[in-house]
């Protein structure tokens, strides 16, 4: 554990916010891995929705000045297959929207059994692969004059035993870091292609996905440590890196007003047809209702640490 922290801190040296974020994402991946292992050892498998709720709750605590979560009151029938949407603010203060579908790895088959899941569109409508629905619904949303969401998959994993699966992180060594694979992500289009080929095994999907924390450490390494000044811009750099050449990230001038209101009131909001269960919001500027004087303790410690180290170096010069 210490080793992993040490490496992430070295990678993100001098950039406390990116480091704080990379560590938070890595921590959630490890926590997910651990929760799934503990559930399994107690004789059952954790539900995706449970894992998603815990993940988004913890992400909202990364830095409550800039992160928030809003729950939608249940909609009988989701029309897009997404489990959560993620709004991330650009430097020009417009918002990018992602639609994310979560799937867990099944045991002992070590397959994403639900990936081939088909859903019926409308009452008595034809059946469609859920992965195709996610991609198509995002496209349709864009055509209807709303913002076009970027479709994405998040996988919850707890593979058993020693592994020799692909390790796609370019910034960290695989040794002792298997639990970073507790959450992996991939563009939905890549995953839909796999499903068409009939592939849903852990190894096949892993070859097309990345550890969640790579959104920060790999994209940052690739971008040549160009400093990003916020969680939001760091994440958007990561999303662009994840989708290289594949897709642009459209944005809209403002958050849906019902989400903005819910951030102020801490309330649930009534779902529209295309809303998933829950929304995660990452602002570049402070979120409505957030107290801007509350810097998270871990972030404050990181900043202090580096200021101390930096002043020490100056004295040595
Ligand atoms: Zn990485």
């Amino acid at each position: 554990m210490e080793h992993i922290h040490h490496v992430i801190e070295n990678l993100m040296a001098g950039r406390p916010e990116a480091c704080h974020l990379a560590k938070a994402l890595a921590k959630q991946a490890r926590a997910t891995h651990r929760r799934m292992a503990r559930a399994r050892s107690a004789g059952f498998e954790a539900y995706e929705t449970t894992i998603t709720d815990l993940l988004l709750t913890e992400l909202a605590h990364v830095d409550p000045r800039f992160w928030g979560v809003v729950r939608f009151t249940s909609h009988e029938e989701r029309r897009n297959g997404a489990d959560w949407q993620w709004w991330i603010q650009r430097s020009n203060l417009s918002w990018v929207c992602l639609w994310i579908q979560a799937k867990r790895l099944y045991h002992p088959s070590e397959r994403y059994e639900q990936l081939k899941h088909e859903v019926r569109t409308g009452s008595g409508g034809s059946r469609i692969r859920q992965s195709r629905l996610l991609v198509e619904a995002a496209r349709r949303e864009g055509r209807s004059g709303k913002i076009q969401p970027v479709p994405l998959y998040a996988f919850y994993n707890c593979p058993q035993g020693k592994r020799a699966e692909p390790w796609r992180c370019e910034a960290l060594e695989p040794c002792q870091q298997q639990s970073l694979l507790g959450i992996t992500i991939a563009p939905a289009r890549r995953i839909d292609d796999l499903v068409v080929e009939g592939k849903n095994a852990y190894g096949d999907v892993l070859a097309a996905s990345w550890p969640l924390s790579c959104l920060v450490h790999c994209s940052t390494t690739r971008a040549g440590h160009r400093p990003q000044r916020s969680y939001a811009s760091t994440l958007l750099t990561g999303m662009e890196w994840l989708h290289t050449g594949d897709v642009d990230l459209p944005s809209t001038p403002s958050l849906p007003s019902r989400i903005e209101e819910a951030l102020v009131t801490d309330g649930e909001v009534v779902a529209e047809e295309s809303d998933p269960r829950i929304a995660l919001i990452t602002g570049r500027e402070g979120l409505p209702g957030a107290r801007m004087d509350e810097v998270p303790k871990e972030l404050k410690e990181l900043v202090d640490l580096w200021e101390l180290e930096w002043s020490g170096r100056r004295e040595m010069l």
Side-chain angles (χ1 to χ4, degrees), residues 169-172 213-214 217-218:
C169 179
E170 296 170 4
L172 296 171
S213 53
C214 285
H217 40 74
C218 275

Side-chain angles (χ1 to χ4, degrees), residues 79-285:
R79 304 284 173 100
N80 60 7
D83 294 297
W84 93 74
Q85 60 182 213
W86 193 351
W87 294 89
I88 308 175
Q89 195 169 33
R90 281 196 185 283
S91 56
N92 65 6
L93 305 188
S94 65
W95 293 87
V96 171
C97 178
L98 298 122
W99 275 355
I100 301 168
Q101 189 172 99
K103 290 288 169 214
R104 74 174 165 90
L105 188 66
Y106 276 62
H107 176 76
S109 67
E110 302 236 316
R111 288 178 182 278
Y112 300 96
E113 300 288 1
Q114 290 294 312
L115 206 48
K116 292 176 181 170
H117 183 60
E118 289 192 344
V119 289
R120 205 176 283 283
T121 55
S123 57
S126 56
R127 296 176 74 81
I128 179 174
R129 290 191 309 283
Q130 212 182 12
S131 53
R132 167 59 50 182
L133 176 66
L134 185 67
V135 171
E136 283 302 322
R139 204 171 284 155
R140 203 179 324 125
E141 186 88 348
R143 278 201 302 262
S144 77
K146 296 180 192 159
I147 180 180
Q148 181 163 339
V150 180
L152 206 73
Y153 266 88
F155 297 103
Y156 304 143
N157 309 305
C158 181
Q160 298 286 94
K162 266 203 180 307
R163 327 282 313 186
E165 253 92 26
W167 177 258
R168 301 199 66 194
C169 179
E170 296 170 4
L172 296 171
E173 294 291 327
C175 60
Q176 298 172 14
Q177 301 193 7
Q178 212 62 26
S179 57
L180 280 190
L181 296 171
I183 306 175
T184 53
I185 50 169
R189 274 179 211 122
R190 297 281 317 273
I191 299 305
D192 188 48
D193 290 345
L194 285 181
V195 177
V196 170
E197 293 171 38
K199 293 179 177 168
N200 68 344
Y202 178 59
D204 293 328
V205 173
L206 192 57
S209 7
W210 302 83
L212 176 66
S213 53
C214 285
L215 276 182
V216 183
H217 40 74
C218 275
S219 76
T220 309
T221 314
R222 187 64 73 80
H225 291 267
R226 185 160 15 99
Q228 304 292 343
R229 274 179 296 278
S230 68
Y231 304 110
S233 51
T234 304
L235 285 167
L236 287 171
T237 303
M239 290 299 175
E240 274 159 12
W241 161 85
L242 184 74
H243 288 89
T244 20
D246 212 26
V247 74
D248 57 337
L249 305 177
S251 57
T252 181
S254 53
L255 278 178
S257 55
R258 61 196 196 287
I259 293 185
E260 203 149 332
E261 277 167 32
L263 281 170
V264 179
T265 58
D266 275 338
E268 293 192 337
V269 286
V270 179
E272 287 187 352
E273 204 175 76
S274 60
D275 288 327
R277 289 187 312 118
I278 196 162
L280 176 66
I281 298 105
T282 310
R284 182 186 167 92
E285 298 211 314

